[in-house]
Amino acid sequence: MNELARVVQQSADRLAGRHVGAVVAGLAGGDTEIRGVGRTGPGGGEPGPDTLFEIGSVTKVFTSLVLARLVLDGSVRLDEPLAEVLAGARGGTAVVPARGREPITLRHLATHTAGLPRLPRGLFTRALLIPNDPDPYARCSAEYVLGGLARTRLRAAPGRSFRYSNLGAGLLGLALAHRAGAGYEEVVAREVCEPLGLADTCVRSGAEQSGRLAHGHTAGGRPVPYWDLAALPGMGALRSTAADLAILLRAQLAADREPDAPLAPAITLTRETRHRVNPFAWTHLGWLGHRLHTQQGGHLQIWHNGGTGGFRSFVAFDPEKRVGVVVLANTRRSADPVGTALLRTLQKDFATAG
């Protein structure tokens, strides 16, 4: 076992005691190692590179890549108002809330600066009344979401401040699919998965993929249903594998050096766009970023995590050191600490120059 494989296996072993199953990928230079532990579910075997997991909010990375692709081909504008893109979505003009002079734009949605609440209107109350609801978003039809949007009060003026919003990302996916004239899954497949060769990133698994789909569990190990995000798939409905997400990270790491590679212009656009959150952290289109203090190495970390009713995910990379990590788990316990620790190990011990 080589050194990269050893540290990846150690990270997977750290997850084994807290998760029913997990898969960890580590990327350094031109090498990728993927290791699995535990089981996919009741009676299932050990998960591996091709096991499908719900990836939750890591979906937002794909949604923003679709945005960048459509911006580059002229289908939408980054600063196009959401109301213009949604025009006709309900047979008329969608009513989008406002605060101040700046309308909500696609850029605001992708950087969480639209001033929107975290959840669609009405789901705050639902979450309080049904705290263990196995699928809190299942009722979110387009009519429900857009009707609630019209009655939503913005927490801040668009573009002013960072407020993480699942609703905003869901609206972005809904708007992009509407402008493209296709379903969200079809648009993601066309704009992201096919160019990169991602075979197992999807909203709905096919028959063969379903046999490789892990089962989600609560923190206590009880099986829970899969999530259905209805009309808001852009905020968290995708399923994927460690193998596919490693390919995505390879594309992220190569974009600066290979401008003609598939999706490189879109990846560059997502990272050129940023909103400063504080002196050390910012948002890109879809990604969150920060730079560690110099006492911690001063490393750049670009990342996103995710969670559904029975799954957790963490994806991160450093384009300067050319390293990245993927952690997927089928238990509702955070995988972030293990993923973050692995990334820092790779940055310290496996960095590759330019």
Side-chain angles (χ1 to χ4, degrees), residues 148-179:
L149 178 65
R151 304 187 302 276
T152 295
R153 179 179 179 275
L154 298 186
R155 272 52 174 174
R160 182 71 59 82
S161 59
F162 171 80
R163 299 182 67 91
Y164 188 87
S165 175
N166 282 321
L167 172 59
L171 287 168
L172 178 60
L174 182 66
L176 294 175
H178 178 65
R179 175 61 60 86

Side-chain angles (χ1 to χ4, degrees), residues 186-276:
E186 180 182 344
V187 176
V188 170
R190 183 185 72 207
E191 300 295 338
V192 181
C193 297
E194 291 172 8
L196 290 181
L198 307 184
D200 288 316
T201 299
C202 55
V203 174
R204 287 286 172 265
S205 308
E208 188 276 331
Q209 291 171 323
S210 294
R212 295 185 280 117
L213 178 61
H215 297 273
H217 299 78
T218 65
R222 178 173 56 84
V224 295
Y226 299 112
W227 269 17
D228 175 7
L229 274 72
L232 296 178
M235 70 181 181
L238 286 177
R239 298 167 177 175
S240 192
T241 65
D244 269 15
L245 293 174
I247 294 172
L248 175 69
L249 288 190
R250 282 275 166 229
Q252 295 285 337
L253 295 174
D256 295 339
R257 304 185 317 279
E258 302 174 19
D260 296 327
L263 266 64
I267 290 170
T268 299
L269 177 58
T270 63
R271 299 222 297 268
E272 285 177 346
T273 307
R274 65 168 61 193
H275 174 87
R276 178 68 64 176

Side-chain angles (χ1 to χ4, degrees), residues 98-116:
R99 182 168 175 175
R101 296 183 178 181
E102 182 81 7
I104 294 175
T105 67
L106 303 186
R107 181 196 300 268
H108 296 147
L109 297 176
T111 56
H112 299 281
T113 56
L116 288 164

Side-chain angles (χ1 to χ4, degrees), residues 325-344:
V325 303
V326 176
V327 180
L328 301 174
N330 63 339
T331 311
R332 196 168 60 203
R333 290 178 181 270
S334 176
D336 295 12
V338 170
T340 300
L342 176 58
L343 180 62
R344 291 185 64 179

Side-chain angles (χ1 to χ4, degrees), residues 61-74 76 78 110 172 176 191 263 265-271 273 285:
V61 171
F62 289 83
T63 304
S64 291
L65 267 175
V66 170
L67 169 61
R69 291 271 286 179
L70 296 185
V71 167
L72 291 173
D73 74 14
V76 298
L78 195 56
L172 178 60
L176 294 175
E191 300 295 338
L263 266 64
I267 290 170
T268 299
L269 177 58
T270 63
R271 299 222 297 268
T273 307
L285 298 181

Side-chain angles (χ1 to χ4, degrees), residues 7-17 22-24 35-37 338:
V7 298
V8 171
Q9 184 65 61
Q10 287 177 341
S11 295
D13 290 342
R14 287 180 59 193
L15 293 164
V23 178
V24 178
R35 294 292 185 273
V37 293
V338 170

